[in-house]
Amino acid sequence: MVRPYAIKGKKRKNRDEKYDKEEQEHDEQVEVEEEEPAKQASIEKPTKEVEGKEEEKGETATDELVGIPIVPSDKKTNKNGVIFVLEKASLEVAKVGKSFQLLNSDDHANFLRKNNKNLADYRPDITQQALLSILDSPVNKAGRLQAVYVRTEKGVLFEVKLHVRIPRTYKRFSGIMLQLLQKLNITAVGKREKLLRVIKNPVTNYFPVNSRKIGFSYSSDKLVKMRKYVDTVGGDVNLVFVGAMAHGKIETDYIDDFIAISGYPLSAAMCIARITEALADKWNIL
């Protein structure tokens, strides 16, 4: 019977390759083991030098942590800023037909009339325009905007992160507000960060200690020029502007001053634009 020399040769060749591979892995492991003491020595050496320097410095070096560099920051922590509170926002959810929807005077006119509701009170587009005016302002881009809060007509208070991008179209904005009021928060895509979230009342719990609360309404008797008004405020005072309702005057007990910034009725977005423009001039923001 003829012996299968070709098959035997393949087996011997595979066996030789296996031995060569094991020897190569063994040599690489030896080289790694020889390199590790050298690395440890190079790591231990500078740490000893640092410890010697710290002993020489004594008590003067107690404010520095070994291995954590102290990076100087140009940001001034004593800068004052501005906070906007959108009170009495027209954001109400109701079940229309078989689904829940954010009520507005255009799409739900018949539903509102059947329930004896005033159509003028259901304007969620006012909140959308106000948020766009605030977040797109140079004051926000320059980092002087501290916070934005919205409280609905029903008393639901939620916070808006300053880097969130509010939808430009009303349809998308309505969908996000509907989700927020039902799930109590909106998270970023692929992240756990909450861009909008419902928080506990009252809103005054989130104001800085040294803040001046200002309500703006066309019905106010105090008509001011916004640029001169903000100049009279001290540099260490944080301004809190409250408004953006559909109509009428704010009825809150935490307002320090009520002002009107025009002799004509203006939209909430226009009022906010005047305020942010005056603040940008005051803080030299271009």
Side-chain angles (χ1 to χ4, degrees):
M1 184 176 180
V2 181
R3 296 176 62 183
Y5 292 104
I7 299 174
K8 185 177 181 181
K10 288 183 179 179
K11 290 183 179 178
R12 184 178 298 172
K13 185 177 180 181
N14 294 335
R15 191 183 298 113
D16 294 338
E17 290 177 356
K18 181 179 180 181
Y19 291 153
D20 293 339
K21 186 176 181 181
E22 290 177 355
E23 289 178 0
Q24 184 178 1
E25 292 176 354
H26 177 71
D27 295 338
E28 291 176 355
Q29 184 176 3
V30 172
E31 291 177 359
V32 171
E33 290 177 356
E34 291 177 355
E35 289 177 0
E36 287 180 354
K39 289 182 180 180
Q40 292 178 359
S42 62
I43 293 173
E44 292 175 359
K45 185 176 180 181
T47 55
K48 291 181 180 179
E49 294 177 358
V50 172
E51 291 175 357
K53 291 180 181 179
E54 287 182 350
E55 290 176 359
E56 293 176 359
K57 290 182 180 179
E59 296 179 354
T60 58
T62 56
D63 294 335
E64 298 181 359
L65 297 177
V66 179
I68 302 178
I70 300 176
V71 181
S73 178
D74 296 334
K75 186 178 179 179
K76 297 181 181 180
T77 57
N78 59 350
K79 282 186 177 180
N80 61 327
V82 60
I83 297 173
F84 284 94
V85 181
L86 307 183
E87 283 279 1
K88 299 177 67 176
S90 301
L91 301 173
E92 185 176 341
V93 176
K95 189 173 183 180
V96 182
K98 297 182 180 181
S99 62
F100 286 92
Q101 299 179 23
L102 186 71
L103 298 178
N104 66 83
S105 58
D106 292 332
D107 300 330
H108 308 103
N110 294 331
F111 176 84
L112 295 174
R113 290 192 186 98
K114 288 180 181 179
N115 292 273
N116 298 322
K117 302 291 185 180
N118 186 7
L119 298 181
D121 293 335
Y122 293 86
R123 294 286 309 280
D125 58 298
I126 294 178
T127 304
Q128 179 194 16
Q129 295 170 7
L131 288 174
L132 289 174
S133 182
I134 294 170
L135 299 177
D136 290 346
S137 65
V139 173
N140 183 31
K141 307 296 184 182
R144 301 302 289 268
L145 180 63
Q146 293 184 344
V148 178
Y149 302 102
V150 180
R151 182 154 56 185
T152 68
E153 190 78 33
K154 299 293 184 180
V156 179
L157 177 66
F158 63 89
E159 177 188 13
V160 181
K161 293 293 183 180
L162 304 183
H163 57 274
V164 68
R165 182 176 175 82
I166 298 297
R168 264 51 180 172
T169 62
Y170 173 75
K171 186 176 181 180
R172 290 187 59 198
F173 175 79
S174 176
I176 288 179
M177 290 297 107
L178 177 63
Q179 183 180 350
L180 172 64
L181 296 175
Q182 287 182 329
K183 296 185 178 181
L184 306 184
N185 63 75
I186 299 292
T187 57
V189 178
K191 299 180 181 179
R192 295 183 178 180
E193 182 185 7
K194 295 180 180 180
L195 301 178
L196 297 95
R197 63 187 181 98
V198 176
I199 57 179
K200 293 182 179 180
N201 281 290
V203 68
T204 52
N205 292 341
Y206 310 99
F207 293 163
V209 176
N210 191 14
S211 60
R212 185 174 183 179
K213 281 78 70 178
I214 304 165
F216 54 99
S217 175
Y218 168 68
S219 58
S220 175
D221 297 330
K222 186 177 181 181
L223 180 63
V224 300
K225 191 172 183 178
M226 203 62 218
R227 183 66 177 87
K228 293 182 179 179
Y229 183 83
V230 296
D231 285 340
T232 60
V233 180
D236 58 341
V237 178
N238 294 280
L239 294 172
V240 179
F241 289 99
V242 186
M245 74 292 300
H247 55 82
K249 189 177 181 179
I250 307 170
E251 296 178 357
T252 55
D253 54 355
Y254 63 86
I255 299 296
D256 298 326
D257 193 11
F258 270 105
I259 63 172
I261 61 177
S262 176
Y264 305 95
L266 303 177
S267 64
M270 186 61 200
C271 292
I272 292 170
R274 283 200 171 189
I275 293 170
T276 54
E277 183 179 358
L279 293 174
D281 291 340
K282 175 182 173 64
W283 294 329
N284 295 322
I285 301 173
L286 300 178

